[in-house]
Amino acid sequence: MKTFEQILFGVAFLVVLGGVVGIAPPMAVIALLVFAIIYLFSGWFLLLPGKGKTERWLPFLVSYLISQTLVVEIFGINQWPLKETFSYVTLIILLTTIIIFFLYKKTISGKYPFNEYMVRMIVCFMFSGAPLWL
């Protein structure tokens, strides 16, 4: 994991928390959109482990799910009509991914930083339910 990505992840979810609480929602939406675009287009590169040659599908999946969670939060902050549906779909995908990660823990941890990916998936799972109670 790169230090830039760790800082980006922390800042992104602090902005999510600020947007959910109601602190400057328009600015939070703009910042979340920028963070989502960064994770969607270059997140797989930021999440690549530094050692050796590894496949890029798992870091891409994790970065895509982080980006999807940020978009769910944008839907929730703006109170857009499909926020509940999008939130449920994201929750199901994240729960499925977490279960699959646990089933293939030994295989994944041999090539990738399993704990860091799991922390990201669990944080995304917790925040993706926020539009349901907003």
Side-chain angles (χ1 to χ4, degrees):
M1 299 286 191
K2 297 175 178 53
T3 306
F4 174 71
E5 190 278 329
Q6 292 173 345
I7 294 170
L8 182 70
F9 185 77
V11 169
F13 281 95
L14 282 175
V15 170
V16 166
L17 188 61
V20 167
V21 173
I23 302 172
M27 296 304 289
V29 168
I30 292 169
L32 289 177
L33 186 61
V34 169
F35 293 141
I37 289 171
I38 289 172
Y39 269 108
L40 189 59
F41 290 111
S42 64
W44 59 270
F45 177 72
L46 296 173
L47 290 171
L48 277 176
K51 57 182 178 193
K53 291 257 184 188
T54 56
E55 298 172 6
R56 296 174 186 250
W57 68 270
L58 189 63
F60 175 75
L61 176 69
V62 172
S63 68
Y64 173 79
L65 290 173
I66 293 170
S67 178
Q68 185 173 346
T69 302
L70 296 174
V71 172
V72 166
E73 293 304 322
I74 292 172
F75 272 63
I77 292 169
N78 287 332
Q79 299 293 324
W80 287 343
L82 288 175
K83 70 176 184 164
E84 290 91 7
T85 305
F86 197 33
S87 182
Y88 281 127
V89 168
T90 303
L91 281 169
I92 291 169
I93 291 171
L94 283 166
L95 184 62
T96 305
T97 304
I98 290 170
I99 291 170
I100 290 171
F101 274 21
F102 275 121
L103 291 176
Y104 294 102
K105 181 179 181 177
K106 288 187 179 185
T107 306
I108 292 172
S109 62
K111 296 179 181 179
Y112 302 99
F114 177 78
N115 291 335
E116 286 85 2
Y117 285 179
M118 281 306 296
V119 166
R120 279 155 180 71
M121 292 295 95
I122 291 170
V123 168
C124 287
F125 181 76
M126 290 187 313
F127 275 103
S128 65
L132 299 174
W133 51 266
L134 277 177

